[in-house]
């Protein structure tokens, strides 16, 4: 899966290089523009170290995202222009219209429910304060209190009560941390299909066969 993701990223005209974060087992690096760096103790630590070394901007994706393609990358990058931080999402109706049996975790907002697309934009060191909050949330045993302290009770209540659209919620989170944050809603059902279980693996393989890949 990781090799497929790397080989999808490399030819894209807006990708300068690929940095693999973690402990991957690649038989060989497919290109001189690919490097491998050690992971930190947590996701937040890993991303913080990467931003401190390279400053960004970063298009961030995951190794279990083998259906990633150029069209999805294009749509996501078009949506992040001007943003310091962005996350890709797919609305539930888009996925279920194409894959009615696919099961995802949905985040409800006013106007729809969304699942993550394993695509993120980190514009540069200006997002480090938010990563620091993320680190504290990761380390807290009682996460609900940590989230409440990070985002504030009013914003959290507005999200829970579905008073905000996903775009409004992202914008408010950004303002709280002094950055421009954006939710990028993607039109492709496959964008939110990652491989978390055997049925996902089977669905991805069937989809790739239909693509001829």
């Amino acid at each position: 899966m990781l090799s497929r993701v790397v080989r999808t990223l490399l030819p894209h005209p807006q990708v300068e290089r690929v940095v693999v974060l973690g402990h991957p087992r690649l038989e060989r690096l497919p290109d001189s523009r690919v490097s491998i760096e050690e992971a930190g103790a947590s996701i937040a630590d890993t991303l913080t170290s990467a931003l401190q070394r390279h400053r960004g901007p970063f298009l961030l994706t995951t190794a279990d995202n083998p259906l990633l393609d150029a069209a999805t990358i294009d749509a996501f990058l078009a949506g992040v222009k001007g943003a310091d931080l962005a996350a890709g999402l797919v609305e539930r109706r888009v996925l279920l219209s194409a894959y009615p049996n696919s099961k995802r975790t949905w985040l409800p907002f006013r106007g729809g429910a969304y699942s993550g697309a394993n695509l993120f934009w980190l514009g540069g060191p200006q997002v480090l304060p938010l990563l620091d909050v993320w680190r504290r949330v990761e380390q807290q045993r009682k996460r609900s209190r940590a989230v409440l302290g990070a985002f504030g009770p009013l914003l959290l209540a507005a999200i829970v009560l579905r008073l905000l659209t996903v775009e409004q919620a992202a914008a408010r989170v950004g303002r709280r941390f002094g950055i421009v944050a954006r939710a990028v809603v993607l039109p492709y059902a496959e964008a939110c299909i990652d491989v978390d279980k055997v049925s996902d693996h089977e669905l991805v393989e069937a989809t790739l066969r239909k693509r001829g890949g």
Side-chain angles (χ1 to χ4, degrees), residues 181-195:
R182 191 169 296 152
V184 181
V185 180
L186 299 167
Y188 305 111
E190 293 81 6
C192 69
I193 299 176
D194 54 12
V195 182

Side-chain angles (χ1 to χ4, degrees), residues 156-213:
L156 195 61
I159 293 174
V160 171
L161 295 173
R162 306 186 195 183
L163 301 178
L164 302 174
T165 66
V166 67
E167 292 88 355
Q168 290 169 335
R172 289 200 185 188
V173 169
R175 286 197 295 271
R176 182 171 182 82
F177 291 94
I179 60 174
V180 177
R182 191 169 296 152
V184 181
V185 180
L186 299 167
Y188 305 111
E190 293 81 6
C192 69
I193 299 176
D194 54 12
V195 182
D196 293 328
K197 49 189 180 296
V198 172
S199 59
D200 295 332
H201 189 275
E202 293 170 348
L203 176 59
V204 165
E205 286 199 328
T207 303
L208 290 174
R209 283 194 295 269
K210 289 180 181 178
R211 288 182 180 178

Side-chain angles (χ1 to χ4, degrees), residues 12-82:
H12 196 277
Q14 294 191 65
V15 174
E16 180 180 332
R17 57 180 169 158
V18 175
V19 180
V20 181
L21 301 171
H23 305 279
R25 294 180 179 179
L26 286 175
E27 292 183 2
R28 61 185 180 86
L29 296 180
D31 191 282
S32 61
R33 292 181 295 140
V34 180
S35 60
I36 296 175
E37 296 183 3
E38 290 287 315
S42 68
I43 295 174
D45 286 338
T46 300
L47 297 180
T48 296
S49 296
L51 275 174
Q52 290 171 339
R53 287 193 299 270
H54 304 291
R55 299 190 64 80
F58 275 129
L59 167 66
L60 176 68
T61 190
T62 58
D64 65 340
N65 190 17
L67 293 182
L68 182 67
D69 59 16
T72 302
I73 297 172
D74 287 340
F76 181 70
L77 291 179
V80 305
K81 290 181 179 177

